[in-house]
Structure formats: C-alpha cells, structure tokens
Amino acid sequence: MTSTGTTAPPPPGVARLLRPYAGGFAVVVILQVIGAVAGLAPLLAVVELGRTLLAPGQADGGHVRNVVVAGAAGLLVRLLFTAASSGVGHLLDTRVQLALRRQLAARLGRVPIGRLARRRTGELAKLVGEDVSAVHPVIAHTPGELVSAFVVPLVSLGYLLTVDWRMTLITLIPVLLAVALVPLMMTPTRLREQKEFDAAMGRISASVVEFVQGIAVVKAFGGSERAHGRFRTAVDDFTRSFYRMVRGLSGIAAGMQVALSPPFVLLVVLAGGAYRITGGGLAPADLMPFLLLGLGLTAPVAALGHGFDDLQAARRAVGRIRDVLAEPSLPEPARPVAPEGHRVELRDVRFGYEGAAAGREGAATGREVLRGIDLVLEPGTTTAVVGPSGSGKSTLVQLLTRFHDPTHGSVLLGGVDLREVGSQELYRRVSFVFQDVRLLRASVADNIALAVPHADRDAVVRAARRASIHDRILELPRGYDSVIGEDARLSGGEAQRVSIARALLADTPVLVLDEATAFADPQTEQAVREALAQTREKRTTLVIAHRLETIADADTVVMLRDGEIVERGTTAELLARGGAFAEFWKIHADAVQAGAMEGEEAR
C-alpha cells in the first residue's frame, strides 16, 4: 500500500529567511554609507589644508578654520553613524541567528528520526551552535565592510580624478595587485582544502562528544587508549588538512598583505608622484591627496582581505545549514484518517536502509533488514520480540513509531496505514521507551510531563511512583523541580524509569518498550512490570528485550532471525517446540548461570 500523503514543501532558502529583515539591512547600509563618506572629511580636510598652506601667498585664516571645523564634524559624524550601524547590525545578527536556530529546530523536529541517525551528535551540535554563529560576520560586519570597500574608494577616486587622472591610476596599482590575487583563493583546490578542513573539524567535535558520552564505559573496560587513539587520529587529520589549507593560502595572503601595506602604497605613490612632478605634470602640493587617500583606498580592501576567511567559513556554514533545512520532512497525509481502535498490524513489511543510513542493526548498504514481516498485535495483549543482535528488532520498532516508513508493505494502526495518520495523532496514540534515553535540560517534572504538559503535579507523582522513581526524585536537591544537567544527575537506569513514568503518564493505547529496563535491577524491573500490567487489558504493548525473563508473561513471543519471523507463540509453546527460540533461551540461561557462578567464585 502506498502513502496518499504529501511531503511538506521544501524549506525556505537562507535568502528567503533573511527577507523579513531587509529593512534592518537597509538601515545598516544607509548608516554605514553616511559614516563612510563622513569619514573621508578629515582626510580631505588635511589635504585641503596642505594645499592651502603650501600655496604661494598668505593663507586665508577663515578658510583654514572652516576646513578644520568641517574635518572635525566629519569625524564626529563618522563615529556616531558607524557606531549606530554596528549596533543595529549586531542586533540584527542576534535576531537572524535566533531565526536560523528556530528554523533548524523546526526542521529537525519534522525530519524522520531515522534520518537523523545518519548524522553524529557532534555534527548536529556543531551545526546548530558553531555553524549558525559562523554567520555572524555576514550579518553584523559584511554589510558595513562592503559599503566601506566600495563607497570610500569611489568617493576618493572621484576626488582624486579631479586632481590628476594619471596619478589616480598610479595610486590604484596596489589595489589592483591585491584584487588580482583574490581568484587564486577561490580555485577548486583551495575550496577543496577548505571543505576538508571543515570536515576534519566536524570529526574532532564528534569524537570529543562520543568520548565524553562513553567515558564511563571506556574507563571501565580499559579502552581509554583506543578511545584516545580515535581522538588523536581525528586531531592528526585536522592538523594535516589545516597545514594543507594554510600552505596553499599563506603565499597568496602574504602577497595581498604586502600589496595593501602602507609602506608599499606610499612607495608606489611617491615613485609615481616623483615621476610626475619631475616631468612637470603635477604640482608638489597636489601629491598630498594621493598620499593620504591612497592609504584610504587600500584600507577597506585590506579589511575585506582579513575577513575573507570568516566570509568563506560563513559561506560553507550556510551551505551546511541549507543542507539540513533541505532534509525532507516526514510525509504528512493530505487528508489524515483517524484510526479506529488500537489494533496494530504489519502486512508483508520489508525495509532496507539507504546508503549511509545503515543503523544499529548492522545493515549493509542495500540489504533488507526486514523481509516479509506479517504480525498482528491485538489490543489488551503483550507481544514480545526476541532475537540475536542484528536480527531487525529495533528496526521493527522504529517502523511502528514511524521513525522510518517501510520500503514495501504497510504498518496499520486501527486499520489505517500509519502514512495516512497525522503525526500528532500518531504520537497521541503511541508512546515508546527506548534503551538509549535522552532527557531534556528541564525539570524532572517537565521531563515526565513532556507528552502531557497540562498534567498536574499529583498525576506526575503518581506516574513516578508507578515507575519506581519517586523516592529517588525526592532525594534530588529540589525534588521534582530539579533540572536535569544542573542539580539533577541520574544514572542510566534512573533515566529509563523517568522515561517509563513519562509513558505511563501519557497513557497511550499503544506502548512500545525497546529494552526499557535494560539498566534496572531485578527488583525495580519487577516493580515496573507490575505497574505496566495494571493497565495491560486496555493497551497494545510491544516489548523488545534481551533478558528473556522480562518477556516470560507475554501473550505472544516472536522470534526474529536475519529480518524474518522464524517462530511465534507463547513462551511455553516455543520452549516445548525445541526450535530456534528454545535454543536462544538455552544460550541465555547458560550465560546467566555462568555469570552467577563467576560471581560466587569472586566472593
């Protein structure tokens, strides 16, 4: 069955996203234009004073006074308008960065969760944090620098042309030399080196995040050397890519710096001026405007050159942001259909990951992880899915929660294909608890009430009691008001119980548990199982577990192997049958017994 839904329209590009702020950009540019032009007044005043004082005869005192006042006034206007332009630009930058982060958050919230698994945590953190911040120069500085780079030279050139057009061309030589070097910084080789540099930076961020998140396991199993080795490898890759990029750009940057340096500019102007003066084509007093404004011609271009790396980094960051904004949203149905009941059915379901999206089931590119799954989960029953690692258990769960859509067949809820159910409606009916729990940086109460934000404190406490986490929460500094990550530190098992409390409070008719008590002790696990059993008759439950004791009371046990159902029935039936499940159970029991014996010997 194919989906009748439609994919959400593509996200707006960055230019369209910035369109609401066009008025702000216009204000920044206008203020900067006024400030830049006014900034030439002091230089022109000095030029005029020089020409007046060096001219034959008595200088006009009133004229000199007016020139000084005009220069001082221009300097004041420049300071005021440039400061105003910078202030407006930075305020605008803050608003744009907020808009970008909101846009990214909204897009990531609509992207199928299975697609997000392709990107490492460090990569996404870098995108939302560093990449959005890298846009800062483009918003806060580039408009002003571009204005200065064009307005100041144009006004200066206009004035210099009135003095001597040949000398003006000589004064432009340093600028033309610097501009001629710019294309060398944009060659395919330079762009590739910059892209490799960004990728190496992303690998460092990802390796740091992964190492910190898994540091307890690494230290416990003596794998610190290997973990540090991966980080060192990432650092070495970064060092090599950075060296290649710097080696390619250093000569060009040095050439631009020399061409735009004041000594070189003065040398060119003085040499050209000497030639013109000795030839009788230029009065000595007329050399002064070229000496002063020549430096003014190069300063804005030099500022752009110094900010070139920031502009390039911003351009690449915007490209990565656009890539994420272009991620396809979860297809939503054009006319959502409400399920009738909470019977779950999988009909001839097949699924294979695309390209690099091979998930934790170990799927190779192009290989089907699930093949021909037919399964019915009746209301009021518990269905347990077991099987060795890589058999497709977690992938099956992700289809039920619509983290992926099947590549063939259909998953139905209440007789309706999930692709025809609106996502909000789906998650009002299906809740899930996974082994890998992520809690928000919010209060414990808010984390429990995530799916039911209007729930009162009594309902939150009741859910926490049923999940056997209430007493632990009371031990926190501020109890239920303690904030995760600030004054609340929970273990893996405790975080799982908070997630279970969240699911119990949501009280959805379909509950999916993927290793939901993997970190819990036997007593806590038993208490959670009893809490879940209290509402079992009104709920459709799917359980995935490696500890077979947790599924002993399931109404139906489904054995997966290589993406196919090889056996199904009650636990007793499958054990009596002596097939794949019985063998799987025996291996597990032997492993548990061996572990218990080792524990006894250790004591």
Side-chain angles (χ1 to χ4, degrees), residues 138-155:
V138 177
I139 308 299
H141 300 292
T142 299
E145 291 176 354
L146 286 175
V147 167
S148 296
F150 288 100
V151 172
V152 172
L154 286 175
V155 175

Side-chain angles (χ1 to χ4, degrees), residues 35-51 67-68 70-75 78 152-153 155-156 159-160 287-300:
V37 173
L40 289 173
L43 294 176
L44 295 176
V46 172
V47 169
E48 187 61 28
L49 282 175
R51 299 178 70 183
V67 170
V68 172
L75 180 60
R78 172 181 169 77
V152 172
V155 175
S156 300
Y159 176 81
L160 292 178
L287 180 60
M288 185 174 291
F290 295 97
L291 290 173
L292 292 177
L293 295 182
L295 296 176
L297 287 175
T298 60

Side-chain angles (χ1 to χ4, degrees), residues 456-467 470 480 504-505:
D456 57 30
R457 182 57 59 89
D458 289 340
V460 170
V461 171
R462 284 196 299 272
R465 287 183 182 276
R466 294 171 62 194
H470 172 71
Y480 282 86
L504 292 172
L505 180 62

Side-chain angles (χ1 to χ4, degrees), residues 38 57 201 239 253 281 301 311 316-317 325 334 350 355 374 478 481 500 534 557 571:
M201 277 292 294
T239 303
V301 180
L311 293 175
R316 299 191 298 271
L325 293 178
R350 295 176 177 272
D374 290 301
R478 290 185 289 153
D481 294 320
I500 291 171
Q534 293 175 7
V557 176
T571 303

Side-chain angles (χ1 to χ4, degrees), residues 258-336:
V258 169
L260 297 173
S261 64
F264 183 77
V265 174
L266 291 175
L267 177 63
V268 172
V269 174
L270 285 172
Y275 173 77
R276 294 282 297 149
I277 291 172
T278 56
L282 185 71
D286 289 340
L287 180 60
M288 185 174 291
F290 295 97
L291 290 173
L292 292 177
L293 295 182
L295 296 176
L297 287 175
T298 60
V301 180
L304 279 182
H306 292 311
F308 184 78
D309 289 341
D310 289 337
L311 293 175
Q312 286 292 89
R315 181 184 62 82
R316 299 191 298 271
V318 167
R320 290 189 292 270
I321 291 171
R322 287 177 61 88
D323 288 343
V324 171
L325 293 178
E327 283 279 0
S329 300
L330 184 73
E332 290 286 345
R335 296 180 177 82

Side-chain angles (χ1 to χ4, degrees), residues 87-400:
V88 174
H90 280 80
L91 289 174
L92 189 63
D93 170 59
T94 302
R95 294 175 62 193
V96 170
Q97 288 197 40
L98 177 62
L100 280 175
R101 289 193 170 97
R102 284 177 171 172
Q103 184 79 2
L104 285 168
R107 174 58 53 176
L108 291 174
R110 294 192 296 269
V111 172
I113 295 179
R115 294 184 66 90
L116 293 183
R118 302 181 182 187
R119 298 178 179 268
R120 295 181 176 183
T121 303
E123 181 185 350
L124 289 174
K126 179 179 181 297
L127 177 81
V128 179
E130 296 179 20
D131 284 349
V132 172
S133 297
V135 180
H136 168 79
V138 177
I139 308 299
H141 300 292
T142 299
E145 291 176 354
L146 286 175
V147 167
S148 296
F150 288 100
V151 172
V152 172
L154 286 175
V155 175
S156 300
L157 285 174
Y159 176 81
L160 292 178
L161 285 171
T162 64
V163 179
D164 186 274
W165 68 270
R166 295 178 182 85
M167 193 62 207
T168 301
L169 295 180
I170 294 174
T171 306
L172 282 175
I173 289 176
V175 175
L176 296 176
L177 288 176
V179 172
L181 293 174
V182 171
L184 298 179
M185 304 179 74
M186 303 290 291
T187 62
T189 300
R190 300 286 84 82
L191 295 177
R192 183 178 66 253
E193 290 170 350
Q194 292 162 7
K195 186 175 181 180
E196 291 172 353
F197 170 80
D198 287 333
M201 277 292 294
R203 287 193 292 272
I204 286 182
S205 299
S207 64
V208 170
V209 171
E210 291 169 358
F211 177 73
V212 171
Q213 289 180 342
I215 192 169
V217 176
V218 168
K219 295 185 70 174
F221 289 93
S224 59
E225 186 62 30
R226 291 192 300 274
H228 281 111
R230 288 192 290 271
F231 175 72
R232 285 196 298 270
T233 299
V235 171
D236 290 342
D237 290 343
F238 168 77
T239 303
R240 285 190 291 270
S241 63
F242 180 72
Y243 174 74
R244 285 193 298 270
M245 184 178 73
V246 171
R247 183 180 59 188
L249 293 176
S250 57
I252 303 171
M256 293 182 67
Q257 188 171 4
V258 169
L260 297 173
S261 64
F264 183 77
V265 174
L266 291 175
L267 177 63
V268 172
V269 174
L270 285 172
Y275 173 77
R276 294 282 297 149
I277 291 172
T278 56
L282 185 71
D286 289 340
L287 180 60
M288 185 174 291
F290 295 97
L291 290 173
L292 292 177
L293 295 182
L295 296 176
L297 287 175
T298 60
V301 180
L304 279 182
H306 292 311
F308 184 78
D309 289 341
D310 289 337
L311 293 175
Q312 286 292 89
R315 181 184 62 82
R316 299 191 298 271
V318 167
R320 290 189 292 270
I321 291 171
R322 287 177 61 88
D323 288 343
V324 171
L325 293 178
E327 283 279 0
S329 300
L330 184 73
E332 290 286 345
R335 296 180 177 82
V337 180
E340 297 181 2
H342 46 277
R343 182 177 187 264
V344 176
E345 184 178 0
L346 288 81
R347 295 179 180 173
D348 192 22
V349 167
R350 295 176 177 272
F351 179 78
Y353 291 97
E354 299 176 0
R360 63 177 177 173
E361 298 291 350
T365 302
R367 185 175 74 87
E368 282 190 327
V369 184
L370 297 174
R371 300 193 296 275
I373 300 296
D374 290 301
L375 182 63
V376 175
L377 283 63
E378 295 289 353
T381 66
T382 298
T383 301
V385 179
V386 299
S389 297
S391 59
K393 303 185 301 298
S394 294
T395 301
L396 188 149
V397 167
Q398 291 174 3
L399 294 183
L400 184 57

